[in-house]
Amino acid sequence: MEYFEFLNKSVTPYHTVATLKALLGAECDENAQFFERGGALIAVRTPKKVCSDSRFRIALAHTDFPTLRITPNPDGLAAGVRTLHPEVYGSPLFTSWLDRDLGYAGLLAYELDGKVETKLIRGDKLFRIPQLAVHLNRGVNQDGLKVNPQTDLNALWTAVGGKENFTDALAVELPAGAKLLDFDVQLFDAQPAQFGGFENEWIYSGRLDNLSSCHAIAEAFAKAGSLEKDFIVAAFFNNEEVGSETREGAAGNFLKSVLESVSTFASSELASALSSSFALSIDMAHACHPNFVQKHEPNHAPVLGGGVVLKVNSQKRYASDVFSNAQFKLICEQNNIPYQTFVMRNDMPCGSTVGPAISASLGIPTVDIGEPMLSMHSIREMTAVKDHDSMTKLVKAFYG
């Protein structure tokens, strides 16, 4: 599937899973198995022969991204406008959500004939969170814009005289006779992905963190063939942006239960296989910002277009260690893949990924890597075309 098509279709974790299934289902043969759990998906290619020294080659990513989720009772009324109150999911850059064309999408749960059913929806209307005019906020350019997420992020969705409640608008999406029971609907950047830069060397899009990683893994998995004795695994988790401790998250039992199911190893055999397996934890990395170079550790400041980023942290916010780092570097050097290294400044906190949770729970050597990017957690982010190509090439080499 073309990269921009993937980005444009994957507007919620549920849509990401549906898009991944469509991509992989169209490309994979009968040796591929798929396991779905809400907004998470795991794909496995079984080897030609499972034996005592079979191992796992696992690539990890996450399907979720910082966003604004519509609350269960969102409706408000002010100044002749009906508004929607959202709840913050993850840590979005609030100011980037203002004055944007916002779509809405998600999952509806409804009752029909005494049973609970679900439906994936994507509305065709645009909403907006308008910023206060400079005339009414005179010091904004000098003092900086401060956004209160409780009071300043209500989305304007219709005028008085239209639908009174947002749930009424959602109910229109249901089959005849169905009753809406619950919904998980979020706002998203409605502008499609596009090239940027004078030479079209960059990509501008919403949700690059971490859909870019999902796409690289899916493309590599789709092109991979079954190996003689090793399992090829692609794991796409939900809820990384809020800590991963959910049934769909990396800290849950989803991956372990799948590996137990497909391998048929006994517990001791599975533990041994995992300890000698390898995992790539793929999430986005901070590129050095040309206007804020002082925010990076001088000797570990990745740049756009400079290659795949190896992420290292002594506080173990990343799973990378000397053993997994060496294995990663060997793959890169054997396949002429450029790489660079990121270390956070000592006077700044470091984020994390799904890598430490998986490495700790399964005992599998894991390296944390990613594509360098700017505007991380903005509603619209920026990466380099060359780096996505390098990441896809890396995962293909890893699976091959």
Side-chain angles (χ1 to χ4, degrees):
M1 181 180 291
E2 197 268 337
Y3 184 28
F4 283 10
E5 180 185 1
F6 179 82
L7 294 172
N8 295 335
K9 286 183 175 181
S10 302
V11 293
T12 74
Y14 306 112
H15 288 78
T16 302
V17 167
T19 308
L20 286 167
K21 287 168 62 180
L23 189 163
L24 297 174
E27 301 264 0
C28 294
D29 56 26
E30 65 277 3
N31 287 328
Q33 301 178 55
F34 302 96
F35 304 84
E36 184 177 351
R37 186 180 286 187
L41 178 74
I42 296 176
V44 181
R45 279 189 182 277
T46 53
K48 296 177 181 178
K49 180 181 180 180
V50 180
C51 50
S52 59
D53 58 347
S54 291
R55 301 294 179 259
F56 301 96
R57 303 186 190 191
I58 307 176
L60 314 164
H62 63 89
T63 61
D64 62 320
F65 29 83
T67 189
L68 302 179
R69 295 177 62 197
I70 305 302
T71 54
N73 301 305
D75 297 290
L77 175 62
V81 173
R82 299 196 185 280
T83 62
L84 296 176
H85 182 65
E87 185 179 17
V88 174
Y89 177 89
S91 54
L93 189 61
F94 295 148
T95 55
S96 69
W97 284 77
L98 306 179
D99 298 335
R100 305 291 304 192
D101 294 342
L102 303 176
Y104 66 98
L107 191 70
L108 306 184
Y110 61 93
E111 178 269 329
L112 185 64
D113 297 330
K115 297 180 180 179
V116 174
E117 306 285 353
T118 60
K119 181 182 180 181
L120 204 60
I121 65 142
R122 177 174 179 167
D124 59 359
K125 309 299 183 182
L126 296 177
F127 304 157
R128 191 175 176 88
I129 307 172
Q131 189 173 171
L132 187 63
V134 67
H135 313 78
L136 305 178
N137 191 9
R138 289 288 184 179
V140 64
N141 289 329
Q142 292 72 40
D143 303 332
L145 181 62
K146 298 178 175 60
V147 178
N148 183 319
Q150 175 63 23
T151 59
D152 300 346
L153 293 179
N154 294 329
L156 282 56
W157 74 285
T158 194
V160 172
K163 294 285 185 183
E164 292 193 4
N165 299 304
F166 188 58
T167 52
D168 293 338
L170 295 178
V172 174
E173 305 278 356
L174 300 179
K179 176 185 177 182
L180 182 65
L181 298 174
D182 204 358
F183 61 89
D184 185 354
V185 173
Q186 64 187 55
L187 302 174
F188 66 90
D189 173 38
Q191 185 177 357
Q194 62 186 35
F195 289 111
F198 196 73
E199 302 292 340
N200 285 339
E201 64 266 52
W202 298 323
I203 295 169
Y204 305 153
S205 177
R207 308 173 295 281
L208 288 172
D209 177 14
N210 192 30
L211 294 184
S212 186
S213 305
C214 291
H215 181 263
I217 294 172
E219 281 289 305
F221 187 93
K223 299 297 189 293
S226 294
L227 301 178
E228 287 297 327
K229 60 181 182 179
D230 284 357
F231 293 86
I232 295 176
V233 183
F236 309 96
F237 296 104
N238 196 2
N239 304 136
E240 188 274 346
E241 298 292 352
V242 292
S244 295
E245 293 186 353
T246 67
R247 75 184 192 94
E248 302 172 26
N253 71 341
F254 190 22
L255 181 56
K256 184 178 180 181
S257 64
V258 168
L259 298 184
E260 289 174 340
S261 172
V262 298
S263 69
T264 66
F265 286 148
S267 296
S268 59
E269 294 173 327
L270 179 62
S272 176
L274 287 169
S275 66
S276 55
S277 298
F278 195 65
L280 303 178
S281 170
I282 309 178
D283 206 341
M284 305 305 283
H286 294 289
C288 187
H289 196 303
N291 297 339
F292 300 93
V293 294
Q294 71 278 8
K295 292 292 185 178
H296 273 72
E297 206 292 312
N299 292 334
H300 305 89
V303 297
L304 289 176
V308 177
V309 177
L310 169 62
K311 299 191 281 188
V312 179
N313 180 253
S314 291
Q315 306 303 320
K316 308 313 293 182
R317 300 291 289 169
Y318 302 133
S320 308
D321 59 29
V322 63
F323 306 106
S324 60
N325 293 352
Q327 185 65 43
F328 160 77
K329 292 178 180 179
L330 182 60
I331 296 173
C332 288
E333 292 172 2
Q334 289 176 338
N335 293 277
N336 297 314
I337 298 170
Y339 66 90
Q340 45 194 335
T341 305
F342 172 79
V343 175
M344 182 63 83
R345 288 175 58 100
N346 282 325
D347 54 1
M348 296 177 67
C350 182
S352 191
T353 69
V354 301
I358 292 298
S359 183
S361 63
L362 297 184
I364 182 171
T366 304
V367 66
D368 264 300
I369 57 176
E371 295 175 38
M373 70 179 300
L374 295 175
S375 303
M376 186 181 290
H377 285 204
S378 170
I379 195 173
R380 198 158 180 84
E381 300 166 321
M382 175 179 175
T383 58
V385 175
K386 288 170 58 177
D387 294 326
H388 187 64
D389 291 343
S390 293
M391 180 61 78
T392 305
K393 181 180 179 182
L394 170 70
V395 186
K396 286 180 178 179
F398 173 63
Y399 280 156

